[in-house]
Amino acid sequence: MTTISHPVDHTELDRLIDELGRGANAWASMALHERATLLLRTRDTVRDNAAEWADTAIRIKQTPPSVHGEEWLVGPYITMATLTATAQTLTTLARGGNPVDGVPVGRAPGGRITLEVLPHGAQEALLLNGFIGEIWMPPGVGIDEVRATAGLAARRPTESGGVGLVLGAGNATLIGPLDALYQLVAHNRVSLLKLNPTFAELLPVYEKAFAPLIRHDILRIINGEGDVGEYITSHPQIGHVHITGSASTHDAIVWGRGTEGEHRRAAHTPLMAKPITSELGGVSPIIVVPGKWSDADLTYQAENVATQKLQNSGHNCIAGQAMIMSSAWPQRTQFLDAIRKVFDSLPPRGNWYPGSDGNMARAHHAYPGAERHGGRMLIEVGDSTSDELYRTEYFSPVLGHTTIPGVGADFLRNAVRFANDRLVGTLGASLIVAPHDRKAMGPAFTEAIADLRYGTIGINCWSATGYLAPVMPWGAFPGNTLDDVGSGIGVVHNARLIAGPERVVVNGPFRPFPRSWLGGEASMAPPMPWLVTSKANTSASKALTHYAAHPGWGRIPGVFKAILLP
């Protein structure tokens, strides 16, 4: 097993890349069913190292005990679920099937078709009861074209995609490894994964968790500072780069830094000409459609909003940052009070991600009247204040709120226009709407969703729910370019290997069970364990990880027991 844990000379890096070159040839000669077996073997080694993985992440982030489950979910759990789903796709292709076999096909405005990929099987339908996830294809793309291209490079397994570089994110521990996995299965490309310095301590854990891939020379994992990244980015044997991070880092790689970089951009002569894909975050909206909510509704949705902002202490590219409400909503003040109460009730949590304290200081400078709630900031943004919050991803526990006019469909259209035109980025958007109010809007509701230009849209759930589902593509809304990269180019996850998706739309229940039934929703989902207020945050996350290690009906009762009796 060959990895490095510190900056090394170029000879050592060259050797690792040479080994990957041989691994790329070996992968091209490996049959699809063998690839599926290898992924399931890797799932087993992730399972064997899941506790160390989660415990190391908890130590790095100093995660409070009440939300230790975050590091189980956004680590070994999703990783194992992704390995399972991807292996299923490869097995389907090996048997002559199609990854979209059995997927319900629907229609959306603008000549779009939809693929209902969530829930993924009967067991997931029970575990995520009430959640429905669709992939929306671009206008004019029909099911025949989807079927003809589903599988991506796995349809051409003998074609090698060469060696690529994955520059891992520094906020969630699964991102780098899963980005490398997607390169492997979707593009037949082996990867050199460079960890973000925040996760340098995880290198030996990853070595054990992904040992089968490392032994087959299709993955190498390294640490290193900027000099290492600069060398391998420009290495002639690296044919592709994928980065999860910031637009500024992306632009430094593509164009260079300072005045030289500006000149290169103006002349359209990039410093790095090789292909690059990316996921770069942005300012994510939370659109709150006005309605008549009960006190329980106000409390539950306040917990939903708080989770979107405060999970991982706000250090998420998909963290909700700009909440949009109606100036005509009588319950707006009550809802803000409910959010304040949740903010105040949560245990203290440090800003562990480098630079986040500076980001909060910047937010306070722009908004000196910002409210402080246990180390979290709540900011009202209006005509008389700066609009910096709309243009700056603070990547910290800073939540802004603003009002616009309208009720019902008029409000929603105004909110969609506001999000599209005023907020930076197109990665994810969330929307909260009571079933009665959604029904009252009729087709205008779905038409507004079609106009909302974001890669993942969560309706009555955080858009990050799409990240929890491996079958969902994850990336910015299409259309970004190297000159204006926005929230990035391309997608990852996408375990069914769907070519050219436009967006993902995930629908969740407005109320948890049993109140969901009283409100006319056919959902038996209890409050989700990933809520920052959930008493089952850790117990249920561990139970889900145990389930993902070997999915089966016999493990489902343990999940529900952990959720209901934490």
Side-chain angles (χ1 to χ4, degrees):
M1 189 182 305
T2 306
T3 54
I4 62 176
S5 58
H6 50 77
V8 297
D9 61 30
H10 294 173
T11 302
E12 176 71 358
L13 291 170
D14 291 343
R15 182 180 66 80
L16 296 178
I17 294 172
D18 284 341
E19 291 172 350
L20 286 168
R22 294 192 292 273
N25 293 331
W27 180 256
S29 66
M30 188 181 296
L32 289 176
H33 73 274
E34 294 176 313
R35 297 181 182 187
T37 299
L38 179 60
L39 297 189
L40 294 178
R41 195 178 308 138
T42 305
R43 183 188 68 184
D44 292 342
T45 52
V46 172
R47 173 202 65 202
D48 295 342
N49 295 278
E52 185 180 5
W53 181 336
D55 289 344
T56 304
I58 289 166
R59 184 168 61 252
I60 290 170
K61 301 181 182 184
Q62 298 182 329
T63 308
S66 63
V67 287
H68 276 181
E70 290 180 2
E71 302 311 326
W72 287 84
L73 278 180
V74 191
Y77 165 71
I78 300 179
T79 300
M80 288 190 288
T82 302
L83 288 163
T84 300
T86 306
Q88 290 172 345
T89 293
L90 296 179
T91 300
T92 296
L93 289 165
R95 293 172 177 170
N98 193 289
V100 296
D101 285 345
V103 173
V105 179
R107 297 201 171 274
R112 296 172 172 90
I113 65 167
T114 65
L115 309 171
E116 188 180 305
V117 294
L118 182 75
H120 181 62
Q123 293 177 34
E124 193 170 80
L126 183 58
L127 288 170
L128 292 176
N129 191 270
F131 287 83
I132 296 174
E134 299 172 335
I135 299 173
W136 288 27
M137 300 305 295
V141 175
I143 188 58
D144 290 341
E145 182 177 344
V146 172
R147 291 186 62 85
T149 55
L152 298 174
R155 300 176 66 90
R156 306 174 301 280
T158 60
E159 296 180 10
S160 173
V163 181
L165 169 65
V166 171
L167 297 173
N171 64 315
T173 60
L174 83 167
I175 294 177
L178 288 192
D179 287 351
L181 174 66
Y182 189 69
Q183 296 299 312
L184 185 64
V185 297
H187 303 291
N188 293 337
R189 183 180 297 127
V190 303
S191 290
L192 177 64
L193 167 60
K194 180 186 176 298
L195 302 182
N196 187 287
T198 58
F199 292 149
E201 189 180 343
L202 272 162
L203 177 57
V205 183
Y206 288 147
E207 287 180 334
K208 293 180 286 187
F210 299 100
L213 304 183
I214 294 172
R215 281 196 297 267
H216 280 78
D217 294 334
I218 54 182
L219 178 66
R220 290 290 182 268
I221 310 173
I222 63 172
N223 282 325
E225 299 301 327
D227 57 335
V228 172
E230 184 175 342
Y231 179 73
I232 55 181
T233 299
S234 60
H235 197 284
Q237 290 175 256
I238 296 291
H240 180 275
V241 175
H242 178 81
I243 177 175
T244 298
S246 67
S248 60
T249 302
H250 169 276
D251 288 349
I253 293 170
V254 173
W255 305 107
R257 299 183 185 277
T259 303
E260 180 184 351
E262 294 173 5
H263 289 328
R264 286 183 177 276
R265 188 197 291 267
H268 300 286
T269 55
L271 177 66
M272 187 192 75
K274 64 187 64 175
I276 182 170
T277 51
S278 51
E279 192 262 84
L280 307 173
V283 174
S284 296
I286 305 172
I287 298 172
V288 183
V289 177
K292 188 175 181 180
W293 297 1
S294 68
D295 289 345
D297 294 338
L298 291 165
T299 297
Y300 183 69
Q301 293 303 336
E303 294 172 352
N304 178 11
V305 168
T307 297
Q308 296 186 41
K309 178 71 270 180
L310 302 180
Q311 198 271 354
N312 200 25
S313 202
H315 308 321
N316 289 320
C317 57
I318 194 62
Q321 181 170 301
M323 186 166 61
I324 306 167
M325 296 181 291
S326 170
S327 56
W329 188 28
Q331 293 181 293
R332 179 170 57 89
T333 299
Q334 285 179 269
F335 189 49
L336 286 171
D337 284 343
I339 292 171
R340 292 182 181 103
K341 186 175 180 179
V342 175
F343 274 28
D344 287 334
S345 70
L346 295 172
R349 187 166 190 176
N351 293 323
W352 64 269
Y353 195 82
S356 57
D357 285 337
N359 290 338
M360 291 195 73
R362 176 177 177 176
H364 187 264
H365 182 265
Y367 302 97
E371 300 177 36
R372 292 277 189 164
H373 296 273
R376 297 113 192 171
M377 294 179 67
L378 187 62
I379 299 171
E380 183 172 8
V381 185
D383 294 338
S384 61
T385 69
S386 166
D387 67 350
E388 180 183 281
L389 187 137
Y390 303 153
R391 298 178 283 104
T392 304
E393 181 187 6
Y394 288 123
F395 214 69
S396 59
V398 176
L399 176 64
H401 61 93
T402 193
T403 57
I404 59 174
V407 295
D410 287 337
F411 165 80
L412 185 54
R413 282 189 288 265
N414 290 338
V416 166
R417 191 177 306 113
F418 185 97
N420 286 343
D421 297 344
R422 299 288 303 276
L423 306 183
V424 169
T426 61
L427 183 61
S430 300
L431 187 145
I432 302 172
V433 57
H436 172 81
D437 300 307
R438 176 173 178 169
K439 183 178 181 180
M441 284 184 264
F445 180 83
T446 309
E447 290 167 3
I449 297 301
D451 290 336
L452 189 56
R453 298 191 298 270
Y454 285 81
T456 298
I457 299 170
I459 301 173
N460 290 331
C461 60
W462 186 13
S463 55
T465 307
Y467 200 90
L468 288 169
V471 293
M472 298 292 197
W474 182 260
F477 193 81
N480 294 324
T481 65
L482 291 182
D483 288 315
D484 185 10
V485 73
S487 290
I489 299 170
V491 300
V492 292
H493 290 206
N494 191 24
R496 286 189 185 256
L497 303 179
I498 305 300
E502 182 187 62
R503 76 182 85 192
V504 161
V505 178
V506 185
N507 287 269
F510 178 73
R511 301 176 179 94
F513 180 81
R515 289 196 305 110
S516 55
W517 282 18
L518 299 176
E521 296 177 277
S523 169
M524 293 187 296
M528 290 296 100
W530 54 77
L531 293 174
V532 292
T533 53
S534 173
K535 295 180 180 179
N537 182 284
T538 300
S539 61
S541 298
K542 288 183 177 181
L544 282 166
T545 304
H546 179 69
Y547 166 82
H550 282 295
W553 288 106
R555 297 193 171 199
I556 289 180
V559 175
F560 280 100
K561 180 180 178 181
I563 293 174
L564 299 172
L565 301 171

